[in-house]
Amino acid sequence: MKLSKDQAGGGFTSNDANAVDLAASMATTHITVNTPLEDPSVMLAWANRIHADGKHVWFRLSSSNGGSLPHGDLGDGYPTFGPGYLTTLHDLMIANPTLVKPGDILDGDAEAENSTWWASHYGCGVQSGCTPCNSTGSNTPCAPTMQFNQFLTRMTSQENLDLASIGVAGCESVSSTNCVLTQVHSTDPGTAIHQLSNATVQAMGNLITVDAYPDQNVTEPVSAVAAWNSSIQSWHSAWQARGLDVTVLVGEWGYSNTINVTDSQQEAVIKAEVTSAFPTIPYLIGTNYWVGPGAAGDGGYTQIFHYSNGAWNLRPGASDVASFYATMNGTSP
């Protein structure tokens, strides 16, 4: 729900409520909320509407000031709670005890590898070719791969502690129920394969969450299916080679990211992907369609809701997404 991030400054509107209701009609289990940490009242309004519609929230959070905030270093977060990203997340959760509910997914900083904090503080980004940072990060410039992994594991641990303090259980495993899943940390494919450590992936229950668009430059449904099958299989195989049998959650999937396709072309590709790609992969545990409401060129061309006559309406491809989710969840769209 990219809308909840881009339009957070305008508050939660009746059009936003319309978008949530429309997404809830599509046999979804979760609807994402991406509101920055600096707008807690707006975030709560989005979450309340989603919960009221009987759906769970997938929090994919970020900070509009993230580039200037320590990320699990310099005393940020538990137990000292010095100034930083994790401390800001902690303060948000404690101040809003009704925000997160059992069944939700809490990713406190989606695609954290892309924060400008890493390069500004360590002189190099997480994915750079610089010499890796030492344990104190004092050998700058260096690639803070270890610090990035520590940030993810500390975030999960802190989220579980904060949830417990407000009477909500964090999930012990990916398959646990009636709890909040805190092991989800969206990354881009390169980070998911090359920057995540074995220890981090094991701490997340052998789950990797990947935001990817391998079909973004193709228009033929068969080619799109092949691109997705090849990509997901390559991620799984890469971790098998490192000794871990991972499950995969797709944090972002949407067609088409780079090509302004027609309604019929979008629907043909989506239909092929949800019938011939995703259901055939046993270690794929879910997908998040990105985005629902949007306009052509607004973060790509993937939108399956378009705005007309004063309301959000479904593009044809949305019916295929809904049917896929209904089949996977054993519900009706």
Side-chain angles (χ1 to χ4, degrees), residues 88-142:
T88 304
L89 176 61
H90 163 78
D91 291 342
L92 170 79
M93 292 180 63
I94 299 304
N96 297 275
T98 64
L99 178 66
V100 186
K101 298 185 181 299
D104 290 349
I105 298 172
L106 178 57
D107 183 354
D109 191 8
E111 295 190 21
E113 70 274 15
N114 294 322
S115 173
T116 57
W117 166 258
W118 307 113
S120 65
H121 184 66
Y122 294 97
C124 297
V126 172
Q127 299 169 311
S128 72
C130 295
T131 300
C133 296
N134 58 27
S135 60
T136 62
S138 58
N139 60 325
T140 55
C142 59

Side-chain angles (χ1 to χ4, degrees), residues 72-83 86-87 90-91 154-155 157-159 161-162:
D73 41 19
L74 306 186
D76 171 40
Y78 179 86
T80 57
F81 293 111
L86 294 180
T87 298
H90 163 78
D91 291 342
R154 287 173 179 171
M155 179 160 53
S157 297
Q158 179 181 292
E159 287 171 347
L161 288 170
D162 288 342

Side-chain angles (χ1 to χ4, degrees), residues 4 19 21 33 62 73 136 194 205 208 245-246 294-295 310 323:
S4 63
D21 295 346
V33 169
S62 63
D73 41 19
T136 62
H194 301 295
I208 60 170
D245 185 19
V246 301
S323 294

Side-chain angles (χ1 to χ4, degrees), residues 85-317:
Y85 191 97
L86 294 180
T87 298
T88 304
L89 176 61
H90 163 78
D91 291 342
L92 170 79
M93 292 180 63
I94 299 304
N96 297 275
T98 64
L99 178 66
V100 186
K101 298 185 181 299
D104 290 349
I105 298 172
L106 178 57
D107 183 354
D109 191 8
E111 295 190 21
E113 70 274 15
N114 294 322
S115 173
T116 57
W117 166 258
W118 307 113
S120 65
H121 184 66
Y122 294 97
C124 297
V126 172
Q127 299 169 311
S128 72
C130 295
T131 300
C133 296
N134 58 27
S135 60
T136 62
S138 58
N139 60 325
T140 55
C142 59
T145 306
M146 178 178 63
Q147 286 77 6
F148 165 71
N149 278 274
Q150 289 175 341
F151 171 70
L152 295 184
T153 56
R154 287 173 179 171
M155 179 160 53
T156 293
S157 297
Q158 179 181 292
E159 287 171 347
N160 288 337
L161 288 170
D162 288 342
L163 288 168
S165 73
I166 58 177
V168 180
C171 294
E172 294 185 3
S173 69
V174 174
S175 60
S176 299
T177 58
N178 198 35
C179 53
V180 175
L181 186 60
T182 56
Q183 293 90 340
V184 170
H185 298 298
S186 287
T187 67
D188 58 48
T191 302
I193 301 305
H194 301 295
Q195 273 72 45
L196 292 180
S197 69
N198 280 45
T200 297
V201 174
Q202 288 174 311
M204 302 311 144
N206 286 1
L207 171 70
I208 60 170
T209 304
V210 188
D211 297 351
Y213 301 88
D215 56 358
Q216 63 183 350
N217 294 316
V218 303
T219 55
E220 293 297 323
V222 172
S223 298
V225 168
W228 267 111
N229 282 336
S230 175
S231 293
I232 298 175
Q233 289 168 8
S234 71
W235 306 335
H236 187 260
S237 297
W239 279 101
Q240 277 189 319
R242 293 170 61 176
L244 295 182
D245 185 19
V246 301
T247 52
V248 178
L249 177 61
V250 175
E252 290 185 18
W253 145 60
Y255 185 81
S256 169
N257 193 38
T258 59
I259 305 170
N260 191 8
V261 296
T262 63
D263 283 356
S264 60
Q265 193 168 22
Q266 183 191 58
E267 182 182 23
V269 170
I270 289 175
K271 184 174 183 178
E273 292 175 346
V274 300
T275 55
S276 302
F278 301 142
T280 69
I281 302 173
Y283 44 83
L284 178 67
I285 64 170
T287 63
N288 170 37
Y289 192 89
W290 193 264
V291 300
D298 179 20
Y301 301 94
T302 65
Q303 74 284 352
I304 50 172
F305 302 174
H306 65 92
Y307 196 74
S308 64
N309 299 320
W312 291 106
N313 300 277
L314 298 176
R315 292 178 74 184

Side-chain angles (χ1 to χ4, degrees), residues 36-38 62-71 84-85 88 115-117:
L37 300 178
E38 290 76 15
S62 63
S63 168
S64 55
N65 300 315
S68 62
L69 293 174
H71 275 53
Y85 191 97
T88 304
S115 173
T116 57
W117 166 258

